Amino acid sequence: MKRFSVFLLTIFVVLCSCKSQKEHEITNPANKPWDSILATAKGKTVVMNMYQGFKKGNNYMNEYVIPTLQKEYGITLKIVSGQGKEIVNNVMAEKESGSAKGQIDLCWINGETFYQLMQIEGLYGPYAEKLPNAKYIDFTDPIIKYDFQTEVKGYETPWSKSSFIVITDTARVKKIPVTMQDFESYWKQNPGKFTLAQDFMGLTLLKSWLVEIAGGIKELEGPLDEAKYKKYSMQLWDFVNRNKKYFWKNGETFPASNVTISQMFGTGEVNFTFAFGNSDIDEKVEEGLYPKSAKGFILQAGSTYNTNYIGIPFNSANKEAAMVVCNFLISPEAQIKKSDLKMWGAGLVLDYSKLGANDEQKFNDLPKLIYGLPEVEIKQKSIKETEPKYMIRVDEDFRKYVIDAK
Amino acid sequence: MTSRFKNIIPFSMLVILAIIPLVLGIGYAVSYSFGLTGVLNNGFTLAHWQTALSNKDVLMSFGYSILLSFVSIVLCVGAAAFLAFYIGDKLQSGRLSYFLYLPMAFPALVAAFFFFQFLSNGGFLSRFFFQLGFIKTIDDFPNLVNDKYSIGILAAQFFLTLPVFVLLNLSIIKNENIAALKTLGASLGAKRSQILFRVTLPVMLKKSFPTVVLFFIFKLGTYEIPLLLGRSSPEVISVITVRKMQRYNLLDIPQGYVIAVLYAMLVFVLLTLSLKPSKINMNV
């Protein structure tokens, strides 16, 4: 009798879970026919969190995306400033308060933000591969499939690709250092002309050196390996500590943000700055911030190549409309506009071979970079991002072993 | 009845707009710091307090913030008293007053960027001296921002706060009739130094004390200026709190709340010690 009761209970639990799974599949907006999604989306207002410190990006959104969405889909897109940790804090606060209808419907994220949002189950999905324009994206491409080595699994829509570039001024730096050894020699001969920021950009530089010490990205692939990390990171901190006396302000302080370093590069206070995105140099030269002798180069470890994405928070009140916006953002039309240097200059996230002849032509007709590196060269030297835990550890240990080490 | 109703409205507004949000905010921070709230917390623990209190950066941060605020206040109060005494009448109106009060319109972030551009090695002052031939390269210009002695932070805070204290001093001089007290002291045979140290300064300091304490607390919590013009270590309280709450490790967030609670306790103690009801007489 007892066994029979357990059997009945098991059957009941299985049936219940089947029912809830089925309910989820039906209520999941991503499973609705696209026409129905479009109809639901019409007239809705979508609030998007994105970094607004980039003039061209703002122009692209305000002058092209917002009016087109309104005209073609009847969707009002509102952009609200916010990035990285602000997004995580917002979603976390809503999750803690049990808010079923969140304030944000879309957020521009990648890397550690995606990792953290997944950690707190803060994203809606999977939906990305069900979007009609997903056919233009190669989801098997490791740069797209994995966001900092965390599998995306349809929880983010890829928006553009970008690569880590070091920028110098060839008028001031005759022999460009590429390896860590080159940098060490350069710093000794030119003290005070180099620094790195305590932000994402500085951490990417440190991770690139970690990869160089490890002998290549293959050694650091996969989840964080504590033994490997300790072995290589100790060499990294030793390298930075023995050289920091040659850094800007004797390595006693590091700027909070790379924006400060870019300003100092412009004024000649330091000779190197960093960027994520190959078009950054052209844009800054055009603005008059960088000299025309500015040049981008790739470190010995390679160029960390990653994708940035759009995510939908778990409690977005307008998931259908948010999906329509995502679908539009990965349309060939919107992507080609975004790749245009005059618009944004972002790296195309679509698979070039999947574009139609007409779109291919439009893409080829775009103005080419003058100061940035050729895309082919970057792709040849591109490396994957390490797993997000590397970023967390490098961030903590940079403070522990370098900044706070007296 | 009407009079009672008149009192209820402002009191309710105070409770709803100020006291309740403050109590809820501190309550949330305390709860988070003990692991009782937060998606990644797993119930009551003292671990976050132990970690934060054993971290020498946190303790250094409190010491550094208190010292920085104290020096900043002393500089401002001293300079403001000097200006109010000697050129006070000229500061009441005219062009000079315009230049003196202009900084009050500057947001802290703008002032921080301005001082960075003005005092850094690649900044305006450095280039000016380079063009005049006083320095061989811009790198020879002394470190005035992100520097060991926090000169950049003190300069920016001095720029923003000085007008407030000048205004306060001018108001006290007028309301307390300092001129008459000085005349009285002189007629009783006091020397100029005696008038200054026995009459004028004690009255000014006594009257301005609550405002000085409030500005001290305000400076303890400033963020933008120390973030941009300060060094990576030590950090002021607000910078280390935001770093703990907004860096990549979500598990550090409770430590950020521990620091926030400690800061709230410090502010509470300062207010309790200094702003006793009898002393609250702002005169601004």
Side-chain angles (χ1 to χ4, degrees):
Chain A
M1 185 63 191
K2 197 179 171 186
R3 277 188 183 179
F4 184 68
S5 303
V6 171
F7 174 73
L8 277 181
L9 189 68
T10 312
I11 294 287
F12 178 73
V13 169
V14 169
L15 285 174
C16 284
S17 63
C18 285
K19 193 185 170 202
S20 70
Q21 178 65 27
K22 208 169 183 180
E23 267 177 6
H24 173 74
E25 277 170 20
I26 293 166
T27 53
N28 182 4
N31 292 331
K32 290 182 186 173
W34 189 249
D35 284 345
S36 158
I37 291 175
L38 284 174
T40 316
K42 200 167 185 179
K44 295 276 165 53
T45 297
V46 171
V47 181
M48 180 175 180
N49 246 182
M50 75 177 271
Y51 170 65
Q52 288 196 289
F54 179 51
K55 199 171 76 185
K56 280 191 169 181
N58 294 342
N59 291 346
Y60 172 77
M61 297 304 287
N62 293 330
E63 291 167 15
Y64 169 68
V65 175
I66 292 175
T68 313
L69 281 169
Q70 183 66 64
K71 193 178 156 197
E72 291 184 14
Y73 302 97
I75 294 173
T76 306
L77 180 67
K78 279 190 179 169
I79 311 282
V80 178
S81 185
Q83 58 172 327
K85 205 60 215 301
E86 292 164 60
I87 296 170
V88 179
N89 279 342
N90 185 38
V91 174
M92 224 162 134
E94 287 181 351
K95 188 131 200 154
E96 283 162 5
S97 67
S99 166
K101 287 188 177 180
Q103 294 175 353
I104 303 298
D105 301 302
L106 285 172
C107 46
W108 184 21
I109 51 174
N110 81 339
E112 75 290 339
T113 310
F114 173 64
Y115 172 77
Q116 290 171 340
L117 287 171
M118 291 302 276
Q119 212 178 345
I120 60 169
E121 296 177 357
L123 285 178
Y124 163 71
Y127 75 94
E129 291 177 39
K130 292 174 181 169
L131 300 173
N133 284 330
K135 66 183 176 193
Y136 297 109
I137 294 173
D138 178 7
F139 283 97
T140 60
D141 177 357
I143 301 290
I144 288 174
K145 188 178 180 184
Y146 299 97
D147 186 354
F148 280 49
Q149 301 210 11
T150 302
E151 196 171 345
V152 172
K153 291 179 180 170
Y155 281 81
E156 295 179 301
T157 307
W159 200 18
S160 50
K161 286 180 178 176
S162 58
S163 43
F164 182 65
I165 305 287
V166 186
I167 301 164
T168 191
D169 181 359
T170 49
R172 288 180 260 160
V173 179
K174 299 296 173 197
K175 194 182 167 200
I176 296 175
V178 175
T179 64
M180 292 168 77
Q181 210 177 356
D182 294 343
F183 270 103
E184 200 160 11
S185 315
Y186 178 83
W187 294 330
K188 284 176 183 166
Q189 286 160 25
N190 304 276
K193 291 294 185 184
F194 179 92
T195 191
L196 63 147
Q198 298 172 63
D199 65 358
F200 177 74
M201 214 70 86
L203 296 176
T204 306
L205 173 71
L206 291 170
K207 285 194 299 173
S208 300
W209 283 337
L210 194 71
V211 170
E212 186 177 339
I213 292 169
I217 188 67
K218 281 215 157 124
E219 180 71 0
L220 300 179
E221 266 180 7
L224 184 131
D225 181 321
E226 193 60 39
K228 280 183 189 175
Y229 173 74
K230 273 198 173 159
K231 181 182 160 194
Y232 300 127
S233 66
M234 282 303 147
Q235 293 176 50
L236 174 66
W237 308 132
D238 177 56
F239 169 75
V240 177
N241 279 328
R242 72 170 182 262
N243 288 299
K244 69 177 185 182
K245 55 181 175 285
Y246 305 114
F247 287 10
W248 175 75
K249 294 198 187 288
N250 304 316
E252 289 170 354
T253 187
F254 297 87
S257 138
N258 194 65
V259 175
T260 309
I261 297 184
S262 294
Q263 283 179 347
M264 294 197 297
F265 175 72
T267 58
E269 199 171 340
V270 294
N271 287 346
F272 299 88
T273 185
F274 312 91
F276 246 103
N278 196 21
S279 63
D280 187 75
I281 313 173
D282 282 65
E283 187 200 321
K284 301 267 170 52
V285 171
E286 193 188 299
E287 285 174 353
L289 181 63
Y290 292 172
K292 286 187 175 171
S293 45
K295 182 180 163 58
F297 67 97
I298 294 170
L299 296 171
Q300 177 71 18
S303 171
T304 302
Y305 204 72
N306 67 29
T307 304
N308 51 73
Y309 302 80
I310 306 289
I312 302 175
F314 77 101
N315 58 349
S316 158
N318 300 299
K319 291 191 180 77
E320 289 87 351
M323 282 193 285
V324 173
V325 176
C326 287
N327 188 55
F328 171 70
L329 293 174
I330 56 167
S331 65
E333 181 202 341
Q335 281 283 312
I336 291 168
K337 281 252 187 219
K338 198 172 179 227
S339 301
D340 187 349
L341 285 173
K342 286 177 189 160
M343 261 296 185
W344 185 320
L348 188 77
V349 83
L350 307 183
D351 184 350
Y352 181 78
S353 66
K354 291 182 177 178
L355 292 177
N358 196 21
D359 291 328
E360 217 173 86
Q361 191 56 48
K362 278 185 194 166
F363 183 72
N364 291 336
D365 289 345
L366 293 176
K368 301 285 177 283
L369 291 171
I370 301 170
Y371 305 98
L373 290 167
E375 200 62 29
V376 183
E377 189 185 333
I378 295 175
K379 278 194 177 156
Q380 277 170 355
K381 295 177 182 175
S382 72
I383 54 168
K384 278 192 281 183
E385 278 279 8
T386 49
E387 201 231 7
K389 278 187 185 163
Y390 278 99
M391 174 79 98
I392 294 170
R393 292 296 298 276
V394 168
D395 179 40
E396 287 171 352
D397 289 350
F398 179 52
R399 176 154 284 277
K400 187 173 168 187
Y401 294 112
V402 179
I403 294 175
D404 291 340
K406 303 290 174 204
Chain B
M1 183 66 190
T2 319
S3 156
R4 189 182 286 176
F5 187 67
K6 270 183 188 169
N7 286 337
I8 288 172
I9 293 175
F11 185 73
S12 307
M13 281 176 70
L14 179 74
V15 170
I16 294 167
L17 299 176
I19 298 174
I20 292 178
L22 183 72
V23 170
L24 288 178
I26 293 175
Y28 183 75
V30 171
S31 158
Y32 215 117
S33 71
F34 285 110
L36 299 169
T37 336
V39 176
L40 298 177
N41 272 329
N42 297 317
F44 181 80
T45 175
L46 293 173
H48 306 311
W49 279 83
Q50 285 165 345
T51 313
L53 293 175
S54 62
N55 185 343
K56 69 174 186 248
D57 292 353
V58 175
L59 303 176
M60 269 174 71
S61 158
F62 274 85
Y64 174 61
S65 298
I66 290 169
L67 182 66
L68 196 63
S69 303
F70 179 75
V71 175
S72 177
I73 283 289
V74 167
L75 288 174
C76 281
V77 169
F82 178 81
L83 289 173
F85 283 146
Y86 294 101
I87 53 167
D89 50 335
K90 289 176 187 162
L91 294 173
Q92 306 272 16
S93 58
R95 278 185 192 171
L96 206 55
S97 69
Y98 175 77
F99 283 111
L100 182 71
Y101 303 137
L102 186 68
M104 290 173 82
F106 274 71
L109 188 64
V110 175
F113 270 110
F114 169 73
F115 273 87
F116 188 84
Q117 296 292 354
F118 187 65
L119 297 177
S120 65
N121 288 70
F124 174 79
L125 212 55
S126 167
R127 285 157 180 259
F128 180 69
F129 283 114
F130 174 72
Q131 292 298 332
L132 290 178
F134 289 133
I135 50 176
K136 283 182 186 170
T137 66
I138 57 167
D139 298 326
D140 294 335
F141 191 72
N143 280 338
L144 297 179
V145 290
N146 312 113
D147 59 302
K148 199 182 280 185
Y149 303 105
S150 309
I151 295 169
I153 300 175
L154 290 170
Q157 290 191 336
F158 184 81
F159 171 80
L160 289 177
T161 320
L162 183 70
V164 179
F165 281 101
V166 171
L167 269 178
L168 176 72
N169 285 340
L170 289 174
S171 165
I172 293 172
I173 287 170
K174 193 179 166 191
N175 291 343
E176 298 301 315
N177 215 349
I178 298 280
L181 290 175
K182 280 162 81 176
T183 312
L184 180 66
S187 66
L188 291 173
K191 293 176 193 167
R192 283 184 70 176
S193 60
Q194 283 178 313
I195 293 171
L196 181 67
F197 291 107
R198 298 274 179 90
V199 181
T200 317
L201 279 180
V203 172
M204 303 272 294
L205 287 175
K206 193 182 173 193
K207 290 291 169 187
S208 63
F209 187 70
T211 311
V212 170
V213 173
L214 286 177
F215 264 84
F216 177 79
I217 293 169
F218 170 70
K219 282 177 187 295
L220 266 183
T222 52
Y223 178 70
E224 294 94 340
I225 291 174
L227 178 75
L228 205 71
L229 303 177
R231 280 154 55 99
S232 314
S233 175
E235 297 162 299
V236 296
I237 298 167
S238 55
V239 173
I240 197 171
T241 309
V242 172
R243 176 164 67 77
K244 291 280 179 194
M245 290 187 178
Q246 300 215 333
R247 290 305 280 193
Y248 304 108
N249 194 350
L250 294 178
L251 302 175
D252 272 356
I253 294 175
Q255 285 182 51
Y257 281 107
V258 171
I259 302 169
V261 172
L262 285 172
Y263 172 71
M265 282 161 64
L266 176 67
V267 170
F268 183 74
V269 169
L270 282 172
L271 287 173
T272 311
L273 290 177
S274 59
L275 300 182
K276 288 175 186 164
S278 60
K279 288 187 179 176
I280 301 175
N281 184 7
M282 308 285 282
N283 282 326
V284 181

